[in-house]
PDB file of all heavy atoms in Angstrom:
ATOM      1  N   PRO K  34     159.032 144.212  52.422  1.00 98.00           N
ATOM      2  CA  PRO K  34     159.599 145.197  51.454  1.00 98.00           C
ATOM      3  C   PRO K  34     160.985 145.773  51.931  1.00 98.00           C
ATOM      4  O   PRO K  34     161.174 145.749  53.127  1.00 98.00           O
ATOM      5  CB  PRO K  34     158.618 146.333  51.549  1.00 98.00           C
ATOM      6  CG  PRO K  34     157.339 145.779  52.211  1.00 98.00           C
ATOM      7  CD  PRO K  34     157.802 144.547  53.090  1.00 98.00           C
ATOM      8  N   LYS K  53     166.812 143.954  39.939  1.00 98.00           N
ATOM      9  CA  LYS K  53     166.126 143.015  39.099  1.00 98.00           C
ATOM     10  C   LYS K  53     166.105 141.525  39.641  1.00 98.00           C
ATOM     11  O   LYS K  53     165.325 140.759  39.192  1.00 98.00           O
ATOM     12  CB  LYS K  53     166.693 143.081  37.774  1.00 98.00           C
ATOM     13  CG  LYS K  53     166.381 144.374  37.028  1.00 98.00           C
ATOM     14  CD  LYS K  53     166.800 144.370  35.544  1.00 98.00           C
ATOM     15  CE  LYS K  53     168.251 144.284  35.303  1.00 98.00           C
ATOM     16  NZ  LYS K  53     168.624 144.262  33.861  1.00 98.00           N
ATOM     17  N   GLU K  62     165.532 154.413  46.329  1.00 98.00           N
ATOM     18  CA  GLU K  62     165.833 155.875  46.583  1.00 98.00           C
ATOM     19  C   GLU K  62     167.264 156.172  46.223  1.00 98.00           C
ATOM     20  O   GLU K  62     167.942 155.309  46.161  1.00 98.00           O
ATOM     21  CB  GLU K  62     165.614 156.124  48.179  1.00 98.00           C
ATOM     22  CG  GLU K  62     164.217 156.242  48.682  1.00 98.00           C
ATOM     23  CD  GLU K  62     163.389 157.462  48.108  1.00 98.00           C
ATOM     24  OE1 GLU K  62     164.069 158.584  48.017  1.00 98.00           O
ATOM     25  OE2 GLU K  62     162.295 157.378  47.678  1.00 98.00           O
ATOM     26  N   GLY K  70     185.881 163.997  44.782  1.00 50.00           N
ATOM     27  CA  GLY K  70     186.151 165.097  43.755  1.00 50.00           C
ATOM     28  C   GLY K  70     186.854 164.404  42.515  1.00 50.00           C
ATOM     29  O   GLY K  70     186.412 163.401  42.088  1.00 50.00           O
ATOM     30  N   SER K  76     188.983 162.237  50.166  1.00 52.00           N
ATOM     31  CA  SER K  76     189.447 163.473  50.957  1.00 52.00           C
ATOM     32  C   SER K  76     189.111 163.310  52.475  1.00 52.00           C
ATOM     33  O   SER K  76     189.674 163.952  53.250  1.00 52.00           O
ATOM     34  CB  SER K  76     188.671 164.655  50.459  1.00 52.00           C
ATOM     35  OG  SER K  76     187.324 164.593  50.852  1.00 52.00           O
ATOM     36  N   VAL K  94     166.013 149.043  55.293  1.00 98.00           N
ATOM     37  CA  VAL K  94     166.829 149.745  54.350  1.00 98.00           C
ATOM     38  C   VAL K  94     168.095 148.904  53.843  1.00 98.00           C
ATOM     39  O   VAL K  94     168.696 148.270  54.885  1.00 98.00           O
ATOM     40  CB  VAL K  94     167.304 151.023  54.902  1.00 98.00           C
ATOM     41  CG1 VAL K  94     168.405 151.672  54.092  1.00 98.00           C
ATOM     42  CG2 VAL K  94     166.132 151.941  55.153  1.00 98.00           C
ATOM     43  N   SER K 108     180.579 154.839  56.969  1.00 93.00           N
ATOM     44  CA  SER K 108     180.333 155.030  58.276  1.00 93.00           C
ATOM     45  C   SER K 108     179.574 156.312  58.663  1.00 93.00           C
ATOM     46  O   SER K 108     178.590 156.261  59.376  1.00 93.00           O
ATOM     47  CB  SER K 108     181.800 155.155  59.086  1.00 93.00           C
ATOM     48  OG  SER K 108     181.612 155.419  60.341  1.00 93.00           O
ATOM     49  N   THR K 116     169.793 157.629  62.293  1.00 97.00           N
ATOM     50  CA  THR K 116     168.967 158.776  63.032  1.00 97.00           C
ATOM     51  C   THR K 116     167.613 158.911  62.434  1.00 97.00           C
ATOM     52  O   THR K 116     166.775 159.576  63.054  1.00 97.00           O
ATOM     53  CB  THR K 116     169.810 160.126  63.052  1.00 97.00           C
ATOM     54  OG1 THR K 116     169.726 160.486  61.677  1.00 97.00           O
ATOM     55  CG2 THR K 116     171.166 159.873  63.541  1.00 97.00           C
ATOM     56  N   LEU K 124     174.169 146.891  54.732  1.00 98.00           N
ATOM     57  CA  LEU K 124     175.103 147.566  53.698  1.00 98.00           C
ATOM     58  C   LEU K 124     175.463 146.484  52.762  1.00 98.00           C
ATOM     59  O   LEU K 124     175.828 145.396  53.215  1.00 98.00           O
ATOM     60  CB  LEU K 124     176.246 148.082  54.465  1.00 98.00           C
ATOM     61  CG  LEU K 124     177.370 148.638  53.609  1.00 98.00           C
ATOM     62  CD1 LEU K 124     176.867 149.698  52.641  1.00 98.00           C
ATOM     63  CD2 LEU K 124     178.534 149.235  54.348  1.00 98.00           C
ATOM     64  N   ASP K 129     184.804 145.503  47.748  1.00 97.00           N
ATOM     65  CA  ASP K 129     185.300 145.713  49.021  1.00 97.00           C
ATOM     66  C   ASP K 129     186.866 145.772  49.005  1.00 97.00           C
ATOM     67  O   ASP K 129     187.454 144.771  48.456  1.00 97.00           O
ATOM     68  CB  ASP K 129     184.854 144.721  50.057  1.00 97.00           C
ATOM     69  CG  ASP K 129     185.168 145.116  51.554  1.00 97.00           C
ATOM     70  OD1 ASP K 129     185.555 146.140  51.784  1.00 97.00           O
ATOM     71  OD2 ASP K 129     185.047 144.215  52.348  1.00 97.00           O
ATOM     72  N   LEU K 157     182.163 152.542  38.331  1.00 96.00           N
ATOM     73  CA  LEU K 157     183.162 153.148  38.984  1.00 96.00           C
ATOM     74  C   LEU K 157     183.895 154.024  37.910  1.00 96.00           C
ATOM     75  O   LEU K 157     184.170 153.714  36.799  1.00 96.00           O
ATOM     76  CB  LEU K 157     184.143 152.304  39.567  1.00 96.00           C
ATOM     77  CG  LEU K 157     183.590 151.381  40.636  1.00 96.00           C
ATOM     78  CD1 LEU K 157     183.511 149.876  40.372  1.00 96.00           C
ATOM     79  CD2 LEU K 157     184.337 151.669  41.985  1.00 96.00           C
ATOM     80  N   ASP K 158     184.433 155.211  38.451  1.00 93.00           N
ATOM     81  CA  ASP K 158     184.912 156.212  37.419  1.00 93.00           C
ATOM     82  C   ASP K 158     186.325 156.877  37.824  1.00 93.00           C
ATOM     83  O   ASP K 158     186.742 156.630  38.945  1.00 93.00           O
ATOM     84  CB  ASP K 158     183.995 157.500  37.322  1.00 93.00           C
ATOM     85  CG  ASP K 158     184.099 158.344  38.621  1.00 93.00           C
ATOM     86  OD1 ASP K 158     183.820 157.818  39.706  1.00 93.00           O
ATOM     87  OD2 ASP K 158     184.430 159.517  38.486  1.00 93.00           O
TER      88      ASP K 158
END
Side-chain angles (χ1 to χ4, degrees):
K53 292 190 293 188
E62 284 291 323
S76 67
V94 170
S108 176
T116 67
L124 176 58
D129 188 9
L157 294 119
D158 72 300

